[in-house]
Amino acid sequence: MSEGILLEPVARGTLLPEAARVARLESALPQILAALEGETDEVAIQATLACLLWETLPQANWCGFYRRVGERMLAVGPYQGGMGCLRIPFERGVCGACAREGASQLVPDVRTFPGHISCDDATRSELVIPITVAGRLLAVLDLDSPHLGGFSAAEARLLENLMIQAFAQAIHPSPGMG
Ligand code: SME
C-alpha cells in the first residue's frame, strides 16, 4: 500500500478551525492504522506516521520523532519539515519535559515555555506526546506549528491513542538497528 491516505487537500500552513481539525484527524486515523497493519519495525512505523500525520496536519511545520537513545537522551528520528536538532537531553526543551514526565506537553505559545528549543524561528506552538511501552519511554512524537494554538487538547487525546495503537506491535529496538 503506497497511495497514502485520502483527505481533502489543504495548503501547508493552513490552521483550520478546531472542529474541522478534529474531524480531519478522526477521518485519517483508521486509514493510518490500516496503512500500518502488520508492521512491527519501529522505524518503518515512525517514518510512515511522520509522512501520514504531515498530510493530516496542514498546520504543522515539523512532524516527527525523537527516539530515546540513552538513559536521559533523545536523538532525532524520522520526520517531515525543516531540519530539527539532532539531540535533546531530557533536561531541555518541550521534548525533554515530555520525556522526563512521561506526559503530553501541549504548548499553545512556545514563548511561555521556559527552555523551549527553537529549531525554526517561525514556530509558535508545539505538541509533544510520549510513546511508552511497558512503562518505559521509547520515543516522543513532536509536532510544531507556526500558528499560536496550532494544536488542541482534543487533537492531543486522539494522537495519544494513535501512538498506543501504532506501537503496540512494534519490536524495540528494530532488529538490525543495534
Ligand atoms: N522545540 C522542541 C525541539 C525540537 S524541534 O522543534 C524539531 C523542544 O523544545 O523540545
Side-chain angles (χ1 to χ4, degrees):
M1 144 83 170
S2 59
E3 297 83 7
I5 54 177
L6 291 173
L7 290 173
E8 200 177 312
V10 174
R12 174 70 36 207
T14 305
L15 181 67
L16 297 168
E18 205 235 346
R21 301 203 308 271
V22 169
R24 184 175 174 87
L25 184 51
E26 282 175 335
S27 108
L29 290 174
Q31 302 186 64
I32 293 173
L33 288 169
L36 294 176
E37 193 172 347
E39 184 53 67
T40 57
D41 182 273
E42 195 171 5
V43 175
I45 294 169
Q46 290 176 352
T48 303
L49 283 168
C51 170
L52 297 181
L53 288 175
W54 180 251
E55 282 186 39
T56 304
L57 303 166
Q59 75 270 38
N61 61 353
W62 204 92
C63 167
F65 292 88
Y66 280 91
R67 302 163 298 116
R68 185 183 203 165
V69 294
E71 209 37 55
R72 295 180 69 79
M73 180 63 72
L74 301 169
V76 76
Y79 67 92
Q80 301 272 314
M83 183 175 161
C85 327
L86 272 68
R87 288 194 175 237
I88 301 179
F90 274 34
E91 291 69 31
R92 293 198 58 217
V94 186
C95 291
C98 176
R100 271 196 318 275
E101 296 172 21
S104 294
Q105 306 290 314
L106 179 58
V107 183
D109 181 349
V110 294
R111 290 167 302 190
T112 67
F113 191 98
H116 167 258
I117 302 165
S118 178
C119 296
D120 180 342
D121 287 346
T123 295
R124 291 285 171 274
S125 60
E126 182 158 355
L127 171 61
V128 186
I129 291 176
I131 297 157
T132 305
V133 172
R136 183 168 171 82
L137 181 100
L138 295 167
V140 301
L141 169 68
D142 183 20
L143 301 167
D144 294 347
S145 173
H147 297 277
L148 288 169
F151 307 100
S152 69
E155 289 169 291
R157 297 295 89 79
L158 290 168
L159 290 164
E160 285 168 354
N161 282 330
L162 174 63
M163 292 305 111
I164 292 167
Q165 293 181 71
F167 288 95
Q169 304 302 320
I171 293 166
H172 315 284
S174 305
M177 293 298 288

